[in-house]
Amino acid sequence: MPPLSDAIHYLLHPDELRWILQWQMTYRPLYRRDETQETPNVKKCFTYLDKTSRSFSTLIQELHPELRMPICLFYLIARGLDTIEDDTSIPAKKKELALRDFHSNLETDGWHFTENRPQEKDRALLLDFDCVIQEFKLQKPVYKDIIRDIIRRMGHAMADYCLRAESDGPGIDTRDDYDEYCYFAAGVVGEGLTDMFLEAKFYRPPPALQDGRRLQVSMGLFLQKTNIIRDIKEDADDGRRFWPRAVWSKYVRDFEDLLDPEHRLAALNCGSEMVLDALEHVPECLSYLTGVQEQSAFNFCAIPQCMAIATLTLCFRNPDVFVRNVKITKSEACRLMMESTRDLQTVCDVFKRYIRVIRRKNASHDPNFLKIITACDKIETFIESNFPLETAKSIMPKELARVFKLGSLEATQGSRKLTKKQTELGNNFTV
């Protein structure tokens, strides 16, 4: 039973309840895992995937079987690396060595990591990492090479960042440093996923709207920057600072002032500049999606991007960002998942809808006011110029079998059973 407060909320907001019900009753994944054909070790990997990311877990498990396990392992390995980097209790030198050597342990039987503090939420994955190693060894050599190379690059970059933080103090100084950090934290993941899509023939680089490598990097940077904006309070509480000094120092004297209610207006203006920086990646993210040729891969890429623009819009000029971790509602997540798994035109419409919300929330007293207007204009113009209605409908994944049955809800009630993971996705999705 849902909490009484939720029941009252949906009684007062029936449109929100409609999106949840429609998602639960009409969504059908193209591919499902057949757990009867899986080894105990494979099941264990997917169990850890559920524990480390309930949202991405569902997207990965609904991928085409060719890429389901390689991407599952890619996510778990990257999560293991992140868990070492995120743990502020590990001494810098020990952390540096662990990060630099991580990729070399991916085929070492029995390897695991025990140095995380007990409260680190994904510590269990690293303690039981041999299950990941055993499945990694069974993958196609080309996928193993892609994963190993990306993890090596990420690990070395994270180690360099940890050493700088040890000598210069926590935080990122310049915009270039910020872009570099986001690139090695997420942009290289976009490169790795694209290499896998290319190998599986699920991706065809789009016509030269932009440099191809830049497109795949922007996909990761947009997600990472959105997370950094949203997580400022959580990161600050844990002693981490990812908003670059070059930005926040224009608004407050000390980073901690961003979280002080006395400096709330300055913090909101600073947040606007951070959002402005993230919006610059939107045209390239949309361009990337034109090249995704397989439906489950399209869903895997499009859903997080739509969630990100919704989250970024929620964070824009929202004082709650400096008080707690904000997130979009369950009903909004369900609506976005329905829309982002249709076609490129619908994804473009989602972005235009949220860009117009940002435009409405824009404050004339904000020093970034005109730049925000210009960024919104640029995105809408880009969409209308490059993806007019008929063109966008023609740029769709090859498998045109609809994920959604658009019949009436009444006709489906009682006749369709939901999987647990489908319901969880609508309830728990975060960028």
Side-chain angles (χ1 to χ4, degrees), residues 184-199:
F184 283 110
V188 291
V189 174
E191 292 181 348
L193 289 171
T194 300
D195 288 343
M196 289 186 182
F197 291 157
L198 286 167
E199 180 65 27

Side-chain angles (χ1 to χ4, degrees), residues 15 89 107 135 138 179 191 218 220 254 282 285 331 333 351 390 404 412:
D15 284 347
S89 71
E107 293 191 73
E135 289 309 311
L138 299 176
D179 282 339
E191 292 181 348
S218 280
D254 298 310
V282 168
C285 293
S331 59
F351 272 80
E390 293 306 316
F404 287 94
T412 63

Side-chain angles (χ1 to χ4, degrees), residues 260-271:
D260 186 341
E262 293 185 6
H263 299 276
R264 188 63 75 233
L265 180 59
L268 289 171
N269 292 340
C270 181

Side-chain angles (χ1 to χ4, degrees), residues 2-20:
L4 180 60
S5 59
D6 283 359
I8 294 174
H9 175 84
Y10 291 124
L11 283 174
L12 298 175
H13 302 85
D15 284 347
E16 294 187 22
L17 180 60
R18 177 174 67 89
W19 287 112
I20 295 175

Side-chain angles (χ1 to χ4, degrees), residues 14-82:
D15 284 347
E16 294 187 22
L17 180 60
R18 177 174 67 89
W19 287 112
I20 295 175
L21 293 176
Q22 194 166 346
W23 165 259
Q24 292 178 343
M25 294 179 176
T26 65
Y27 177 70
R28 292 295 173 269
L30 289 170
Y31 304 102
R32 298 178 187 272
R33 283 175 56 206
D34 183 356
E35 297 188 38
T36 64
Q37 301 299 311
E38 293 177 351
T39 66
N41 207 50
V42 168
K43 292 178 182 177
K44 184 184 286 189
C45 287
F46 281 113
T47 296
Y48 279 118
L49 186 65
D50 279 335
K51 291 179 179 178
T52 55
S53 177
R54 297 173 72 183
S55 50
F56 272 106
S57 174
T58 303
L59 296 180
I60 291 171
Q61 292 181 64
E62 293 180 359
L63 279 168
H64 189 287
E66 169 69 16
L67 287 183
R68 183 186 297 141
M69 200 65 207
I71 291 180
C72 169
L73 295 170
F74 190 12
Y75 184 92
L76 290 175
I77 292 167
R79 176 58 64 188
L81 189 70
D82 286 341

